[in-house]
Amino acid sequence: MGDAVAPEPLPRWPFIGREDELQLVRRSLAGSRRGLVVTGPPGRGKTRLVTEAVRGTDCARVAGIPQAHRMPFAAFAPLLPEPVTLHRAVRLLSGVRTLLVDDAHLLDDSAAALVHQLAVRSDTRLLIVVTDGAPVPAAVSRLWTGELLSRLPLGPLPREETAQLVAVGADRTPEPLTANRLHRLAGGDLRLLRELLGALRGDGRLTRVPGTDEWAWRGPVPLTPSVREHTARLLTRTDPGERETLDRLAFAEPLPVDLDDPTGPEHPMDPADRPAGPAPLDLAALERLEDDGLVHVDGRGAVRLAHPLHGPVLRAAAGGLRARRLARAPEEYGPALDAEAAALTALIGQADVRTVPAPVGDWLVAEGVPVPAGYAALRARYARLRGEVREAAAWAREGLCTTASARSGPAEAEAEAEAEAEAEAEAGVGAAAEARAELALAEAQSPALASVRHPAHAPHDPYDAVRLGTPERAAGRLTGVFAAHADALTHADGPALDRAAGELERRGFLLFSAEAYAQAAAAHRDPAAARTARTRAVALARRCQGARTPALAALALGELTARQRQIVTLAATGLSNRQIAERLTLSIRTVGNHLYSAYTRLGASDRTALPRLTDPRPTDPRPAEFQEKQPA
């Protein structure tokens, strides 16, 4: 895809995201609340969250100690100056205002009883951290099962915030398809994520994406110690039927289950009588693997591996001959991709673009296998409709790369194949044009992606008129939620705009929803309702990968202080920092500081993006062949 990225040591990751969880933890330690228990799998970031929550406060901290069950109050040794009884320990610690107990599942029975008594009898506010899946002392588990303390199960870090972590310490950001892949493989385990990233950088597997400020990863998963630990149950299966089943799934999932298969151990079949096609899966082996949580059978009878990490690890561990035997031939990907494309097309037709799995396309991209331009263009469109503008651009580039590779390949040698080759070439040209159009549309909505400003042009889709604030141009041309949005905007009906925005969000149109909420904020007469709509618009816009559209321009500038708006507006006209400083009677350093803060809030990298953020004029980013002629 490009030149390799030079390896660099990974810096300490900052605390990113988790704003809602952070506020919940802090609220649990204030007022009349007695505290909170934070639970989650290993590597989820529980300790980092609670550490951030108590930063700058007067908080005592202890941690459970492995293999210390025979040492009474071992974790509390730093706080207890002498061997004590439980009663004495409670009295000594009852004056502690806030107590953080990390790894509480490792507490000895005496320490667990002490924590429970503090929750019952003292005014100490407790912040307890417990790892899921580990044996927990009964006195600790009763803290939340007995409703003494509330419990916060910590979910995985969202995909957008995972991408921010992965970008820390690098001169380029991960392209979205790579960030998505790392997010899926880590499964919420930040320690595994860090180890994977370190291995990729150390082995020089990261490549620069030409024409962007991004890097990408294609190819096999590095078998690091943490990866092997997470997949130990998988790699140590010794039953031949189970291992063959796992490997077949790794190279060709999903596979159908034939519940009427007559070839099982109860119904032996002569190999000569076996029907043509792939051999059916071993049902007995599948049942054992399903019982152990290693495979999953969906409602349609298709079998998949249970964890996104399992397939890549099994493929990486397979020998060359085994991989050649089990891997699908390139032509076998076609039906699976066609099925995914049909499902995505149907959802777009139903105005519903919520997240759906499309594992075959994701797998091909991850492994570096060329993806047909038509499929890539469809994935780009689906991502763009969801507001994932950087992901849309990445898919479009994949399709254009495939087209470029096909054009540089050898010509057809057989005369009888000329007609077929010509038809494929025509289809390829059309698909490439779709991919180019999607790339242009994605770039036009993201200051971080756009390399040039596109000329002003009238909207090419009826709904674009609504998004641009001219719903009268779409009168009678829309249906469903889009028509409801247009009608609400026509009548400047704030509550109706809120309802339309909520329905758009429910259907997965996050960018459209953010725009509708932004319009609602301007339409509401009730200041409280306007603030609520604005807050929702900002939250949704932040999930749209830096998207900036005319409807969000005023919203974006509204996040700035009055002085920042003043400076940004002047900078957008082309004035230098010195000229702005002279005009406003400020120091050049003050102007620079205001601009830097504004860039952060606006999602802009430098002042070249400011004209697009402050200019609400509509744009049509499509290539010339896609632009409609407007009447004079």
Side-chain angles (χ1 to χ4, degrees):
M1 185 170 251
D3 299 332
V5 176
E8 301 174 357
L10 286 177
R12 174 179 168 82
W13 278 348
F15 182 81
I16 287 178
R18 303 273 194 208
E19 288 88 357
D20 292 341
E21 294 93 335
L22 186 63
Q23 291 305 315
L24 193 153
V25 174
R26 286 174 173 167
R27 287 197 302 269
S28 72
L29 302 176
S32 60
R33 295 178 174 86
R34 305 189 64 83
L36 185 71
V37 180
V38 179
T39 65
R44 188 56 60 85
K46 304 182 296 296
T47 298
R48 191 66 184 276
L49 171 66
V50 296
T51 299
E52 193 69 23
V54 300
R55 187 182 302 279
T57 67
D58 181 17
C59 176
R61 179 171 180 168
V62 299
I65 304 172
Q67 308 301 324
H69 294 288
R70 297 183 179 180
M71 301 171 59
F73 305 113
F76 286 87
L79 302 181
L80 299 175
E82 58 191 33
V84 293
T85 63
L86 175 60
H87 179 71
R88 174 68 173 162
V90 172
R91 291 190 60 186
L92 288 172
L93 296 179
S94 60
V96 173
R97 177 178 176 81
T98 305
L99 176 64
L100 167 57
V101 184
D102 200 1
D103 290 333
H105 54 284
L106 297 177
L107 294 177
D108 61 86
D109 290 341
S110 298
L114 172 58
V115 171
H116 192 273
Q117 289 299 307
L118 288 173
V120 172
R121 299 185 180 182
S122 75
D123 293 329
T124 301
R125 292 184 174 87
L126 297 172
L127 191 51
I128 313 296
V129 178
V130 175
T131 295
D132 287 345
V136 182
V140 172
S141 64
R142 287 190 61 194
L143 291 174
W144 68 88
T145 59
E147 299 184 354
L148 286 170
L149 301 179
S150 298
R151 174 172 169 257
L152 170 63
L154 196 61
L157 195 68
R159 182 179 56 173
E160 297 84 1
E161 293 163 3
T162 300
Q164 293 178 42
L165 277 183
V166 172
V168 170
D171 60 344
R172 295 193 173 207
T173 58
E175 54 97 28
L177 304 186
T178 294
N180 292 349
R181 185 185 184 190
L182 286 167
H183 179 72
R184 287 195 304 270
L185 292 176
D189 189 330
L190 300 182
R191 293 180 298 186
L192 175 59
L193 177 68
R194 185 176 179 86
E195 186 173 289
L196 277 173
L197 186 59
L200 294 174
R201 289 187 178 180
D203 294 345
R205 302 193 192 192
L206 306 180
T207 58
R208 300 183 187 277
V209 180
T212 75
D213 62 350
E214 299 173 338
W215 53 260
W217 165 42
R218 301 289 186 266
V221 171
L223 297 181
T224 67
S226 287
V227 169
R228 291 185 178 276
E229 178 184 347
H230 277 73
T231 56
R233 292 192 307 133
L234 199 74
L235 297 176
T236 56
R237 308 296 287 205
T238 58
D239 180 273
E242 293 179 7
R243 189 56 187 265
E244 175 72 9
T245 299
L246 289 171
D247 283 346
R248 286 183 61 190
L249 287 169
F251 282 93
E253 68 175 332
L255 289 174
V257 178
D258 184 2
L259 297 180
D260 298 321
D261 174 28
T263 64
E266 301 86 357
H267 305 279
M269 174 181 282
D270 189 302
D273 297 329
R274 184 182 298 277
L281 294 173
D282 185 330
L283 288 180
L286 272 179
E287 289 175 359
R288 294 193 296 271
L289 293 172
E290 185 180 28
D291 289 342
D292 289 345
L294 295 178
V295 300
H296 170 70
V297 183
D298 64 23
R300 300 178 181 177
V303 186
R304 303 179 190 275
L305 294 167
H307 193 284
L309 191 63
H310 290 172
V313 168
L314 287 168
R315 294 194 295 272
L321 292 176
R322 190 173 186 81
R324 290 181 62 182
R325 174 174 68 85
L326 295 173
R328 285 177 173 174
E331 60 271 14
E332 293 183 86
Y333 296 120
L337 281 181
D338 290 345
E340 288 186 355
L344 294 175
T345 301
L347 288 171
I348 292 174
Q350 297 163 13
D352 188 339
V353 293
R354 284 173 282 192
T355 302
V356 294
V360 179
D362 293 338
W363 175 17
L364 294 181
V365 168
E367 297 293 327
V369 179
V371 178
Y375 175 87
L378 176 62
R379 290 293 298 266
R381 183 186 179 198
Y382 200 87
R384 177 174 56 80
L385 290 174
R386 288 179 48 78
E388 297 164 341
V389 292
R390 292 182 63 239
E391 184 169 335
W395 274 110
R397 290 192 202 99
E398 287 293 326
L400 293 175
C401 287
T402 300
T403 302
S405 299
R407 288 177 177 174
S408 62
E412 290 287 347
E414 299 293 335
E416 59 269 20
E418 289 182 359
E420 181 180 349
E422 183 177 348
E424 290 180 356
E426 291 179 359
V429 169
E434 291 178 9
R436 283 196 300 272
E438 287 297 337
L439 179 59
L441 285 165
E443 286 182 338
Q445 295 183 106
S446 174
L449 293 174
S451 56
V452 295
R453 292 198 66 197
H454 298 283
H457 198 281
H460 65 278
D461 182 275
Y463 189 58
D464 284 350
V466 182
R467 298 175 62 200
L468 294 169
T470 55
E472 64 278 0
R473 302 189 63 173
R477 303 171 64 190
L478 297 170
T479 60
V481 65
F482 307 113
H485 182 185
D487 184 67
L489 185 60
T490 299
H491 295 90
D493 187 334
L497 281 167
D498 282 340
R499 290 192 295 272
E503 180 62 15
L504 286 167
E505 180 184 0
R506 189 185 71 82
R507 291 170 177 260
F509 296 99
L510 301 189
L511 179 56
F512 299 167
S513 177
E515 293 172 329
Y517 274 122
Q519 293 166 342
H524 275 298
R525 297 181 179 180
D526 178 8
R531 285 193 299 271
T532 300
R534 175 182 170 75
T535 299
R536 193 63 197 148
V538 170
L540 286 168
R542 286 174 176 167
R543 295 170 58 188
C544 293
Q545 301 180 345
R548 283 293 182 264
T549 66
L552 297 181
L555 182 71
L557 293 178
E559 295 187 65
L560 308 181
T561 65
R563 177 65 83 181
Q564 286 171 344
R565 286 197 298 273
Q566 188 179 32
I567 291 174
V568 162
T569 302
L570 293 174
T573 66
L575 294 183
S576 67
N577 287 14
R578 180 179 295 277
Q579 291 170 321
I580 296 172
E582 291 174 352
R583 179 170 298 193
L584 300 180
T585 318
L586 299 172
S587 70
I588 297 176
R589 182 175 182 180
T590 297
V591 171
N593 289 339
H594 278 305
L595 280 175
Y596 179 80
S597 298
Y599 295 155
T600 301
R601 294 191 179 190
L602 295 174
S605 55
D606 54 41
R607 70 196 307 133
T608 60
L610 295 180
R612 292 196 72 258
L613 295 175
T614 57
D615 182 4
R617 291 178 299 171
T619 61
D620 187 344
R622 296 171 300 157
E625 62 267 28
F626 280 85
Q627 295 181 9
E628 300 172 358
K629 298 296 183 181
Q630 298 298 314

